[in-house]
Amino acid sequence: MKEKILIVEDEFIVANDLKIMLVKAGYEVTGIASSVVQARKLITDKRPDWVLLDIMLKGDLTGIDLAWELREMQLPFLYISANTNQTTLEAVKETHPYGFMVKPFRERDLIVMLDIARYRFDQEKGTFTALPAATEYQEIEGIIGTSPLLQDVIEKIKIVAPAETSVLILGESGTGKERVAHAIHDLSIHKSNPIVVVNCAALPHSLIESELFGHEKGSFTGANTLRIGKFEQAHNGTIFLDEIGELPLDSQVKLLRVLQEKEIQRLGGNKTIKINVRIVAATNRSLEKEVAEGRFRLDLYYRLNVFPIELPTLKERREDIEALALYFLKKYAASSRKNVTGISASALEQLMQYDWPGNIRELEHLIERNVLLAKTAEIEKFNLPSSTSNPFPEQSGKMKSMEEMEKEHIMKALQTCDGKVSGPGGAAALLQMQPQTLYSKMKKLGIKQEYN
């Protein structure tokens, strides 16, 4: 039976276009309402399964007012609006919609958004069944483990990969966000085209626009040749924006425009270039907190957060540690041409007991080092820290914030390295991150390089 959708939109042309798209996609449109009063009557008479809801409507009541009524009725809804006023968007968020689309959008964006909204709704109600496209893939290369938390991630990758919607990957540093981005690309219709990886934290602020969108020859001092930007390089493919939370606000505005208009303009140029790019973004920050504190635009957050995938820490999926360790052992034994074939039971127990603050990346580097240092075919012991500091002192009864913990951790690393940040023996290498990323974090946290 066709799903029934009510359109609540006060612009007739927009509403009629929506109706045509929905009918073409196999939905039944039960009616079009231009006000909350009309919508109430149609909901009572037609009993739709879903409501597509604009914010600004005719009459004294808005779509947000109706949204609160829909939540009381347990009738799922999505917002479709051009209104990106910060105050309005914060009010929208309070109603907990199943989706939010910023006008203008493409027909396929609407259909994918509805599929994802249904997935979220079914999960919430405990009636979830996987989308047909998800059954095509039985395993994902490079993603190792059988824990329930990882299997949930894999299921989400399989669901979203065949679509073209934006994906936001969330998780601590070292949990494998870039590997997940590659998996989404490899299982998509764009797999034969490039995936372009951009570390937003490593982009100098003065060159962000040039790096992302390119520049014409002579557009600024030092622009001696034409430069093709990352978005143009990723045309018909995927662009992975790692550490998206590090982008400054003015760059966020330009990125939002690209996502909405599907076009770019090179710096210093007057030609508009159409692009077809799948956006996958990642962050280890809480973007909701960044939005609340004014460091990340809420409209960009909604545009990116269509389908979030949250990655568990390695500590949360300990049952995968042995499989990951053996995978990395085989990989680095082969690349270094060393006859190292196993890990002793006592060494595996060491791995299981450790808390892995650096997650999978820390485990990988540990195995790589020990393969290189191994004198026999079996790794018998790992040199691991005996304990990790307790970030929750029992005496004070006060839990440290993530920023306090991160600042303290970076300062300890700088003290250990006598204030050296980059290069061999520097804090960046110790913390297993790029020097530019560490400099960015130091600036944000107010840490000065004064430890020598």
Side-chain angles (χ1 to χ4, degrees):
M1 189 171 70
K2 293 182 179 180
E3 282 190 297
K4 297 185 292 184
I5 297 180
L6 170 65
I7 299 171
V8 184
E9 165 65 68
D10 65 342
E11 294 184 44
F12 174 78
I13 294 175
V14 175
N16 194 55
D17 285 346
L18 278 170
K19 181 177 179 179
I20 292 169
M21 292 179 197
L22 293 168
V23 170
K24 181 181 174 183
Y27 293 95
E28 178 186 342
V29 176
T30 61
I32 297 173
S34 60
S35 69
V36 172
V37 174
Q38 287 182 359
R40 287 169 178 162
K41 187 175 188 309
L42 285 170
I43 290 167
T44 301
D45 294 344
K46 303 295 185 179
R47 299 188 178 277
D49 300 305
W50 287 87
V51 177
L52 289 184
L53 185 58
D54 193 9
I55 294 174
M56 305 311 296
L57 302 169
K58 291 180 179 178
D60 296 330
L61 298 175
T62 69
I64 296 172
D65 296 314
L66 180 59
W68 287 110
E69 298 179 23
L70 296 175
R71 290 215 68 88
E72 288 292 319
M73 299 179 213
Q74 297 187 330
L75 181 55
F77 61 93
L78 303 89
Y79 286 105
I80 296 180
S81 178
N83 192 318
T84 55
N85 173 274
Q86 191 80 2
T87 303
T88 301
L89 290 176
E90 287 171 1
V92 161
K93 182 182 169 184
E94 291 296 317
T95 65
H96 300 289
Y98 289 94
F100 186 102
M101 293 199 68
V102 182
K103 300 173 186 173
F105 53 84
R106 297 172 296 180
E107 179 178 341
R108 59 187 176 187
D109 292 334
L110 172 66
I111 304 311
V112 168
M113 172 62 88
L114 281 165
D115 286 340
I116 292 169
R118 187 188 306 109
Y119 165 76
R120 287 177 172 172
F121 180 68
D122 289 346
Q123 271 199 323
E124 187 178 288
K125 298 300 178 185
T127 58
F128 169 68
T129 54
L131 299 177
T135 62
E136 295 177 10
Y137 311 105
Q138 299 305 313
E139 59 182 27
I140 297 179
E141 184 180 354
I143 297 183
I144 309 300
T146 57
S147 63
L149 287 174
L150 184 66
Q151 290 305 306
D152 181 60
V153 168
I154 290 172
E155 184 64 24
K156 287 179 178 177
I157 292 171
K158 292 175 180 179
I159 288 166
V160 77
E164 293 192 55
T165 188
S166 300
V167 181
L168 181 62
I169 306 170
L170 307 167
E172 291 184 7
S173 294
T175 49
K177 296 188 288 293
E178 185 170 344
R179 178 60 258 171
V180 169
H182 278 274
I184 291 169
H185 175 74
D186 292 342
L187 299 180
S188 74
I189 61 173
H190 299 300
K191 62 184 178 182
S192 59
N193 294 310
I195 175 171
V196 176
V197 177
V198 180
N199 183 346
C200 297
L203 295 176
H205 285 200
S206 60
L207 296 177
I208 287 175
E209 190 173 349
S210 173
E211 288 286 331
L212 293 179
F213 313 127
H215 63 247
E216 299 288 347
K217 181 179 178 180
S219 57
F220 56 86
T221 303
N224 300 320
T225 59
L226 168 71
R227 181 184 182 89
I228 303 299
K230 301 297 186 183
F231 272 89
E232 211 172 335
Q233 293 173 32
H235 181 58
N236 287 329
T238 302
I239 189 165
F240 175 49
L241 301 173
D242 197 9
E243 300 196 59
I244 187 74
E246 304 287 345
L247 274 184
L249 285 168
D250 56 346
S251 300
Q252 293 175 29
V253 174
K254 292 167 185 173
L255 175 59
L256 179 65
R257 190 178 304 124
V258 171
L259 296 179
Q260 290 175 337
E261 305 298 334
K262 307 296 180 184
E263 61 188 28
I264 62 162
Q265 196 172 76
R266 295 187 196 125
L267 192 65
N270 52 23
K271 177 184 175 184
T272 298
I273 303 167
K274 288 288 183 183
I275 55 166
N276 176 34
V277 175
R278 168 72 169 291
I279 307 288
V280 179
T283 182
N284 58 13
R285 294 189 182 188
S286 167
L287 287 189
E288 292 194 0
K289 182 182 177 185
E290 296 296 302
V291 168
E293 296 180 358
R295 292 191 293 266
F296 202 84
R297 291 181 62 92
L298 186 57
D299 45 5
L300 179 58
Y301 171 71
Y302 274 125
R303 177 64 80 169
L304 292 172
N305 195 39
V306 176
F307 195 95
I309 298 177
E310 188 163 358
L311 304 189
T313 62
L314 186 55
K315 184 169 63 175
E316 292 173 317
R317 42 180 288 224
R318 290 185 185 275
E319 55 264 64
D320 293 333
I321 289 174
E322 181 176 353
L324 281 163
L326 294 174
Y327 172 81
F328 292 133
L329 179 79
K330 183 177 179 181
K331 172 183 174 180
Y332 289 110
S335 64
S336 62
R337 298 182 180 180
K338 294 205 63 171
N339 184 31
V340 184
T341 57
I343 302 172
S344 72
S346 59
L348 280 172
E349 184 61 25
Q350 280 186 282
L351 300 183
M352 295 298 292
Q353 295 301 319
Y354 185 56
D355 274 349
W356 300 107
N359 293 296
I360 299 171
R361 186 185 294 126
E362 184 180 5
L363 174 62
E364 180 175 5
H365 290 171
L366 177 75
I367 299 298
E368 181 181 14
R369 287 196 302 272
N370 279 270
V371 166
L372 292 172
L373 295 171
K375 293 181 171 56
T376 64
E378 185 177 73
I379 297 174
E380 297 178 355
K381 183 181 179 181
F382 292 105
N383 184 19
L384 286 166
S386 58
S387 64
T388 56
S389 60
N390 180 12
F392 314 126
E394 293 181 11
Q395 291 85 351
S396 67
K398 182 180 177 183
M399 186 178 293
K400 291 184 180 179
S401 71
M402 290 298 291
E403 283 196 357
E404 288 172 333
M405 291 167 59
E406 186 176 35
K407 183 174 182 177
E408 185 178 303
H409 193 56
I410 290 173
M411 289 176 69
K412 283 182 179 178
L414 287 166
Q415 288 169 340
T416 301
C417 300
D418 294 324
K420 185 178 180 181
V421 175
S422 59
L430 181 64
L431 294 169
Q432 299 173 4
M433 65 173 65
Q434 293 294 323
Q436 286 290 347
T437 303
L438 181 53
Y439 279 121
S440 176
K441 288 182 179 293
M442 288 168 63
K443 182 178 178 181
K444 174 177 176 269
L445 296 169
I447 301 173
K448 296 181 179 180
Q449 195 174 347
E450 298 175 352
Y451 294 100
N452 45 5

